């Protein structure tokens, strides 16, 4: 999951992203804040491998959700928005669902960009309701599926109950795994949003993925692109984003 802020932020953004992604060895990137469809298509065309790109609205200049998918190992079943009638609660960015097959197993990824900030009294409440809506949707339509909830969820996992936007997932450990929990409660050096600093980009799995995620070979990490590819945080922030990407590795 990668919030590439106001994409593309800089005239060099695509050139840098191409070099970075080609070195990352990833199959799927769930993007947030893709504002320019033409630039996004140009990026997809320059990547090494058989990449294809999908964006929620190709005619919009709004910061949309998008997927970049390397189809060398991924078979796409479907891509579509869900809960569009409730998009207000998701900051007018209805969750973007990718169903795919990897190594003969079927998975469902739900890309999200929750409402940001606490400027208005309703901002936090919208995140709370967004989590409830996702939980209900998974209960009703994705029961027994291997589901990956991913994206910029704009809130911390470890807030007290009265100010926690993720209680449907936190309070249901039988059905959900907070895959980046250790990062959320760990050193701020590895948080996804250093400007604040806070850790607000998350990966939540349904329990059907437990046997894979808990076997010792799978993990979640914050990709320190600012350190590995740039001389400073400010340079990364200027060229790419104010968010770091989060990577999920699933190895059965």
């Amino acid at each position: 999951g990668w919030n590439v802020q106001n994409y593309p932020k800089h005239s060099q953004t695509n050139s840098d992203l191409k070099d970075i992604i080609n070195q990352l060895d990833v199959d799927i990137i769930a993007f947030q804040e893709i504002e320019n469809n033409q630039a996004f298509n140009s990026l997809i065309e320059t990547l090494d491998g058989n990449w294809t790109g999908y964006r929620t609205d190709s005619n919009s200049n709004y910061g949309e959700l998008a997927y970049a998918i390397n189809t060398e190992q991924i078979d796409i079943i479907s891509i579509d928005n869900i809960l569009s009638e409730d998009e207000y609660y998701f900051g007018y960015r209805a969750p973007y669902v990718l169903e795919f097959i990897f190594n003969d197993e079927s998975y469902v990824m739900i890309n999200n960009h929750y409402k940001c900030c606490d400027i208005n009294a309703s901002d936090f409440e919208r995140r709370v309701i967004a989590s409830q809506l996702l939980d209900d949707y998974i209960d009703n339509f994705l029961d027994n599926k291997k589901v990956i909830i991913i994206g910029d969820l704009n809130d911390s996992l470890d807030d007290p109950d009265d100010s926690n936007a993720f209680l449907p997932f936190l309070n249901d450990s039988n059905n959900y795994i907070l895959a980046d929990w250790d990062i959320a409660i760990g050193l701020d050096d590895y948080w996804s949003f250093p400007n604040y600093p806070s850790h607000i980009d998350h990966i939540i799995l349904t329990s059907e993925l437990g046997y894979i995620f808990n076997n010792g070979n799978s993990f979640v990490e914050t990709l320190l692109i600012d350190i590995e590819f740039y001389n400073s945080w400010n340079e990364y922030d200027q060229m790419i984003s104010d968010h770091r990407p989060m990577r999920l590795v699933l190895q059965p």
Side-chain angles (χ1 to χ4, degrees):
W2 199 347
N3 179 328
V4 281
Q5 182 193 21
N6 304 134
Y7 169 89
K9 277 186 93 168
H10 192 278
S11 60
Q12 286 290 113
T13 298
N14 261 10
S15 176
D16 285 12
L17 274 177
K18 179 193 77 165
D19 293 341
I20 292 166
I21 292 169
N22 282 340
Q23 294 182 57
L24 287 183
D25 186 26
V26 293
D27 298 297
I28 300 171
I29 305 173
F31 284 115
Q32 300 87 46
E33 291 203 34
I34 298 289
E35 293 184 357
N36 187 306
N37 206 63
Q38 188 174 356
F40 182 61
N41 289 338
S42 297
L43 172 66
I44 297 298
E45 289 168 9
T46 61
L47 296 174
D48 296 342
N50 289 323
W51 288 83
T52 184
Y54 296 86
R55 184 168 170 256
T56 48
D57 185 349
S58 60
N59 297 313
S60 166
N61 293 321
Y62 188 53
E64 303 281 359
L65 300 169
Y67 284 107
I69 303 162
N70 187 348
T71 59
E72 288 182 351
Q73 296 192 67
I74 301 292
D75 292 321
I76 299 167
I77 300 173
S78 64
I79 300 182
D80 207 357
N81 287 106
I82 60 167
L83 298 168
S84 297
E85 68 278 10
D86 293 309
E87 67 174 13
Y88 166 78
Y89 299 107
F90 293 90
Y92 297 104
R93 299 170 287 246
Y96 203 27
V97 176
L98 164 66
E99 188 168 1
F100 65 95
I101 294 173
F102 175 69
N103 283 347
D104 299 322
E105 295 272 5
S106 175
Y107 300 84
V108 177
M109 182 175 287
I110 308 179
N111 184 4
N112 300 272
H113 188 182
Y114 276 19
K115 177 71 181 73
C116 83
C117 317
D118 288 300
I119 297 170
N120 300 308
S122 64
D123 291 342
F124 169 69
E125 189 64 23
R126 286 161 79 177
R127 293 192 291 275
V128 169
I129 293 172
S131 290
Q132 292 168 347
L133 288 165
L134 274 182
D135 176 42
D136 289 343
Y137 186 91
I138 290 167
D139 277 352
N140 291 326
F141 300 107
L142 298 173
D143 195 31
N144 300 320
K145 298 270 193 181
K146 299 180 181 69
V147 180
I148 302 161
I149 300 169
I150 196 166
D152 175 6
L153 304 188
N154 265 317
D155 221 326
S156 302
L157 289 178
D158 59 335
D159 286 334
D161 280 6
D162 60 354
S163 58
N164 196 304
F166 308 112
L167 291 184
F169 312 119
L170 275 162
N171 290 340
D172 191 359
S173 57
N174 289 329
N175 287 310
Y176 294 103
I177 300 162
L178 306 174
D180 61 306
W181 177 258
D182 287 345
I183 296 171
I185 64 169
L187 294 172
D188 61 8
D189 299 17
Y190 300 97
W191 287 356
S192 67
F193 192 67
N195 284 350
Y196 195 66
S198 60
H199 182 64
I200 57 176
D201 300 84
H202 304 303
I203 298 175
I204 300 170
L205 312 175
T206 56
S207 56
E208 287 79 9
L209 280 160
Y211 74 98
I212 300 176
F213 188 69
N214 295 320
N215 70 3
N217 296 320
S218 302
F219 58 92
V220 167
E221 63 181 340
T222 312
L223 294 177
L224 305 178
I225 307 292
D226 51 300
I227 295 170
E228 294 169 16
F229 290 90
Y230 291 92
N231 295 315
S232 68
W233 169 259
N234 287 341
E235 188 181 1
Y236 170 75
D237 194 349
Q238 180 182 359
M239 294 293 184
I240 305 290
S241 181
D242 56 353
H243 288 250
R244 292 163 166 161
M246 301 297 299
R247 175 161 66 177
L248 169 67
V249 176
L250 290 176
Q251 296 182 339

